[in-house]
Amino acid sequence: MNAGLKTLLEKSGCSCVIANGGVVRQFHQRGVADLLRLLHEEPEFLRGAEIADKVVGKGAAALMISGGIKEIYAAVLSQKAADLLSRYGIPCSYGKLTDGIINRQGTGPCPVESLCSDCDTAEECLPLIENFVSSLNNK
């Protein structure tokens, strides 16, 4: 993992840093919104990329896998995300490994992590995530 990505993530206040082909970009949206947008609009940027992200649950991991990333660092990584990344042979490192990702209010599990909980593959997670994000955008 590019050590500079981890440092940039820690110092910049962004939610995610992605490097590919000498280009480094910072992202600031919460949740999986940036990853989902990249997967649909700029899939070439994800393919072979290195990612440093603040919080990675199973849903975010599924989007990264679907995008064809090369490697990931997560400040906080859920065990289910780690298991999914491992299943696809994607190297990952983390600051803290946790049983699950908590929602923004701190009152329970992350809804995307919950949605993807019983999925065995990244491909199974995608339509669930897309429907969830679409429902939020239509509110």
Side-chain angles (χ1 to χ4, degrees):
M1 169 60 64
N2 177 338
L5 289 185
K6 180 180 171 185
T7 301
L8 184 57
L9 178 72
E10 292 167 351
K11 294 184 187 246
S12 69
C14 63
S15 59
C16 180
V17 180
I18 302 176
N20 196 349
V23 176
V24 177
R25 291 171 55 190
Q26 298 177 34
F27 298 88
H28 299 277
Q29 291 188 49
R30 297 174 71 169
V32 297
D34 285 321
L35 289 170
L36 187 59
R37 186 191 61 73
L38 285 171
L39 187 61
H40 287 294
E41 297 175 12
E42 301 179 69
E44 68 284 350
F45 187 64
L46 286 176
R47 187 137 329 273
E50 292 181 314
I51 298 181
D53 201 315
K54 283 193 174 177
V55 179
V56 177
K58 191 172 183 179
L63 292 171
M64 293 174 188
I65 291 164
S66 297
I69 67 154
K70 179 172 82 174
E71 189 172 357
I72 177 175
Y73 165 80
V76 176
L77 181 71
S78 77
Q79 183 64 58
K80 289 185 179 200
D83 293 344
L84 190 63
L85 290 161
S86 175
R87 186 173 302 134
Y88 285 84
I90 297 174
C92 66
S93 56
Y94 53 84
K96 178 181 178 184
L97 186 65
T98 183
D99 288 337
I101 304 302
I102 302 301
N103 66 23
R104 293 176 190 166
Q105 296 77 27
T107 58
C110 164
V112 175
E113 179 103 340
S114 295
L115 277 175
C116 298
S117 182
D118 294 331
C119 296
D120 292 323
T121 66
E123 295 77 16
E124 287 177 69
C125 296
L126 284 181
L128 301 175
I129 297 167
E130 289 171 343
N131 289 338
F132 176 76
V133 171
S134 177
S135 73
L136 292 178
N137 292 338
N138 292 329
K139 287 187 177 180

